[in-house]
Amino acid sequence: MANLATQFAGISSPNPFWLASAPPTDKAYNVNRAFEAGWGGVVWKTLGEAGPPIVNVNGPRYGALLSPDRRMLGFNNIELITDRDLEINLQEIMEVKRNWADRAMVVSLMVPCEEKAWKAILPRVEDTGADGIELNFGCPHGMSERGMGAAVGQVPEYIQMVTAWCKQHSKLPVIVKLTPNITDIRQPARAAKKGGADAVSLINTINSIMGVDPATLTMSPATGGKGSHGGYCGPAVKPISLNMVAEIARDSETAGIPISGIGGIGNWRDALDYLALGASNVQVCTAAMVYGFKIVQEMKDGLSNYMDEMGFASVQEIVGKALPTVSPWQFLNLNSISKAVINQDSCIQCGRCHIACEDTSHQAIMSTKNGKRHFEVIEEECVGCNLCVTVCPVPECISLKDLMPGETDKRTGLKVSDKHADWTMHPNNPMRATEPA
C-alpha cells in the first residue's frame, strides 16, 4: 500500500488531508470527531486576542449557489473568527493534541497589526503543544474592516513585517494563509518568504454576494433586512485556487516554499490536482460541512489506490509533477491540431453539441445525414475547441483526437508538423520572446 504520511513545513501527519480553519475546527468536540474519522490534521479555527468578545450575527451566516438538482457549487459565509473564549480554546487545543499526538495540530491566528499583540499570543499557543501556526491574512469580511485579515494580506509589506515578528517571537513553524482578493498572488507569497515563512496556504475565501431576494429586492441572505459581502468557497473556486497554487510553485522567487492547497476539494481527484500542481498537502472545509467528516475515508482510499496503480511510493513523489506542463499562452504549440470525434454507439442524439457549435462556435457538427437525425463532426470546419466535449451529457461520447505529424488538416489544407511552433516566433508578433528554461 502507498504511504500517505507527509511532512509539511516540518509538521508530520499520517495523510495529506487536513481540515481548514473554519466552523468544523471550532472546538474539541468537532476536532475529536474529525480525528476519529481519519483526518491527518486540522487548522484550529482562528483565534484572536483576549479582550472584547467576537459577536456573530444571530441569523443567516451561510449562503449557497446550488445546481438545479441542489448540488453544492459554491458556498458563502459571513462568520467571524472564533467567538469562544481564548483560554477555553487554548485548553482544548492542548487536550486534543495530547490525545492525538500523531495528528497535525496547527492554530490559526489573527490579532491587530501590532508587534505587542503577536508577541503576547504566540507563547500561549506554543504552550499548548501545537505543531504550528497559520497567520490568517485572508478573511475578507468582518475582520478586514478592523484592519486585520485580508486588510493585511493585500499589503505585501505588512505580510513580511508580521511574519518576521512571528518568526522572532515563536519557535513554531509559520504558515501564511493568503487572500485571493489581490491581482498577483506571487507578490504576497514573496513577501511571506522574505519574512521567513515556513510555508504558505491558499486560497482563503473570495469576496462575494450571493444574490437578491426577488420578492423583497433585498440582499440574500440577510439579517434584519440587510446583508454583507462574505467569503466564497466550495467547488466553484477550485480552478481559481489551482491557478494561484501553480503560480507560486512556478515562481523563481518562491520556488521551494511548501504550499497547502485550499479551495473546492471534495474528493481524492481534487486533492491530486493540487498535489500535481505543487501543493504538498490540502485543506478541506466546505465538503466536510456538506457531507460530514467521513468523506476523508474516500479521499484516503482513492489517493492510496491511485498511487498503487501509478507506482508512487509516497505523496511527495506526486508534488509538482504537472508543473512542467503549465505554460504561458505564447509558448503553446501552434502546430498541434485536434479534431472532435463523436462515438456513434454512445450518442443519444440529444443535439446539444450541434446547437452549441452551430449557434456559438464554428458550425462544425452536422445534424442530419440522409434525411435522418444524426450528429457528426465536419472535420473541415472543426478547430478542436472542446466546446462539444464540454456540453455533451454522455461521458466520453465526444473526444478530441490529435492529428499525427504528416496528416493533413482538412480545415487549412496544411500538413501537421512534428516541430513546435509558438506565437513568440510568429512574424506578426512584435514582441518575440524565448521560452524560459
Side-chain angles (χ1 to χ4, degrees), residues 156-232:
E157 292 80 6
Y158 293 169
I159 295 174
Q160 181 176 343
M161 177 178 67
V162 178
T163 303
W165 290 341
C166 293
K167 290 299 296 181
Q168 178 184 350
H169 299 301
S170 176
K171 299 176 183 177
L172 294 176
V174 175
I175 303 167
V176 175
K177 190 171 187 179
L178 304 177
T179 176
N181 301 301
I182 195 165
T183 304
D184 185 351
I185 196 65
R186 295 172 300 177
Q187 302 306 321
R190 291 169 182 173
K193 188 171 184 180
K194 289 177 182 176
D198 298 281
V200 294
S201 58
L202 67 153
I203 56 175
N204 208 309
T205 52
I206 301 171
N207 269 326
S208 61
I209 290 178
M210 298 307 289
V212 171
D213 184 327
T216 62
L217 294 180
T218 57
M219 181 181 156
S220 178
T223 298
K226 289 188 177 181
S228 175
H229 72 94
Y232 193 55

Side-chain angles (χ1 to χ4, degrees), residues 253-276:
E253 295 187 38
T254 54
I257 192 168
I259 301 170
S260 186
I262 310 170
I265 299 161
N267 53 54
W268 74 269
R269 275 292 292 110
D270 295 329
L272 175 64
D273 289 344
Y274 276 93
L275 295 171

Side-chain angles (χ1 to χ4, degrees), residues 86-157:
L86 175 61
E87 193 59 45
I88 293 175
N89 275 296
L90 294 174
Q91 183 63 36
E92 290 187 359
I93 291 167
M94 181 183 298
E95 293 171 359
V96 172
K97 181 57 185 177
R98 185 186 300 126
N99 294 332
W100 299 92
D102 67 322
R103 309 301 173 92
M105 172 64 75
V106 175
V107 178
S108 177
L109 295 175
M110 181 195 295
V111 296
C113 201
E114 302 169 353
E115 185 174 4
K116 63 179 182 180
W118 290 96
K119 186 176 180 180
I121 199 170
L122 289 168
R124 302 186 68 181
V125 174
E126 201 164 320
D127 288 344
T128 66
D131 299 301
I133 57 174
E134 183 180 78
L135 312 186
N136 185 343
F137 293 157
C139 189
H141 56 272
M143 308 310 293
S144 56
E145 286 89 333
R146 311 176 198 195
M148 294 180 279
V152 178
Q154 291 166 338
V155 185
E157 292 80 6

